[in-house]
């Protein structure tokens, strides 16, 4: 499913819309509109979502479903994949600055996505899982944690899959990144009451 992501003004989402700081090195767009067409059912879904700092994630405020084909499955109007659309949109709404000095430029997390479908490219995964790669590791943990929590996904699972590490190690690295001040403004409540990791 292809998801188009725009700012509220209707322009394509770019790093210029990521104006709200989160964590220690990231910025996010305070809101977005995501639109996806499910061809088999003939239904287009448009979601407007806003960042809720008290929840630490994007919250959908408007969901519009409409038929885009003469023959469509009206039962599917009640069961559109809202969460999957938000999960696809979030990496386009988070930015970080690459490099320092004159070559510094902002990129979205979606720009980092490797050809193998993972958020973090293989060369970076290899570098941050080596012993002693603390600052780089915390940068990657911050990116992955933000991507998971803003989309209301379990961060431990995403980090474990992305970095090919055990979930226990992912949980430990999250705690250490938080202690290093890297996850401020981000919290996950997936699968637990509102006082979790």
């Amino acid at each position: 499913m292809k998801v188009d992501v725009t700012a509220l003004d209707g322009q394509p989402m770019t790093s210029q819309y990521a104006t709200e700081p989160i964590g220690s090195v990231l910025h996010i767009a305070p809101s977005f509109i995501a639109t996806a067409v499910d061809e088999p059912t003939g239904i287009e879904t448009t979601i407007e979502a806003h960042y809720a700092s008290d929840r630490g994630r994007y919250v959908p405020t408007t969901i519009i479903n409409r038929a885009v084909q003469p023959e469509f499955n009206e039962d599917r109007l009640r069961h559109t994949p809202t969460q999957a659309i938000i999960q696809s949109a979030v990496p386009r709404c988070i930015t970080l600055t690459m490099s320092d000095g004159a070559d510094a430029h902002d990129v979205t997390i979606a720009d980092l996505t490797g050809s193998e479908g993972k958020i973090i490219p293989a060369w970076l995964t290899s570098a941050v899982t080596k012993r002693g790669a603390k600052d780089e590791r915390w940068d990657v943990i911050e990116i992955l944690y933000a991507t998971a929590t803003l989309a209301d996904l379990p961060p431990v699972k995403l980090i474990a899959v992305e970095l090919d590490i055990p979930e226990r190690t992912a949980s430990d690295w999250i705690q250490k990144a938080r202690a290093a001040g890297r996850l401020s403004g981000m919290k996950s409540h997936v699968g637990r009451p509102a006082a979790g990791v």
Side-chain angles (χ1 to χ4, degrees):
M1 168 175 41
K2 180 178 179 286
V3 178
D4 292 318
V5 184
T6 66
L8 294 185
D9 64 6
Q11 296 299 311
M13 181 60 69
T14 63
S15 60
Q16 74 180 17
Y17 291 101
T19 57
E20 187 161 332
I22 190 168
S24 66
V25 297
L26 303 176
H27 286 80
I28 62 169
S31 54
F32 66 85
I33 296 173
T35 303
V37 176
D38 184 355
E39 296 292 342
T41 61
I43 297 169
E44 176 187 82
T45 301
T46 300
I47 300 169
E48 181 178 324
H50 297 266
Y51 174 66
S53 60
D54 60 325
R55 296 184 188 182
R57 64 182 172 88
Y58 285 107
V59 176
T61 56
T62 305
I63 302 171
I64 300 170
N65 293 316
R66 67 183 190 97
V68 292
Q69 297 173 1
E71 298 294 321
F72 72 98
N73 182 339
E74 64 274 2
D75 292 331
R76 291 285 296 166
L77 280 171
R78 294 187 298 268
H79 305 287
T80 55
T82 303
Q83 190 62 34
I85 294 169
I86 291 174
Q87 290 169 9
S88 294
V90 165
R92 296 179 213 171
C93 300
I94 307 171
T95 65
L96 71 151
T97 303
M98 300 294 281
S99 188
D100 290 325
D103 329 350
H105 61 284
D106 292 333
V107 297
T108 68
I109 300 306
D111 295 334
L112 294 177
T113 302
S115 59
E116 53 286 327
K118 290 192 171 186
I119 296 166
I120 302 299
W123 65 266
L124 185 53
T125 297
S126 176
V128 301
T129 55
K130 290 182 181 172
R131 204 177 279 275
K134 299 289 187 229
D135 286 338
E136 297 86 358
R137 181 178 297 154
W138 304 152
D139 288 345
V140 168
I141 295 299
E142 184 173 345
I143 289 166
L144 294 173
Y145 192 89
T147 301
T149 59
L150 290 169
D152 206 23
L153 294 169
V156 170
K157 287 185 180 188
L158 179 66
I159 291 168
V161 167
E162 279 283 328
L163 301 180
D164 195 24
I165 58 174
E167 287 188 14
R168 185 173 14 179
T169 302
S171 182
D172 179 57
W173 286 0
I174 288 170
Q175 290 174 3
K176 288 177 178 170
R178 187 174 301 287
R182 302 306 289 272
L183 305 180
S184 61
M186 295 182 263
K187 50 192 165 199
S188 173
H189 304 301
V190 176
R192 65 182 73 198
V197 170

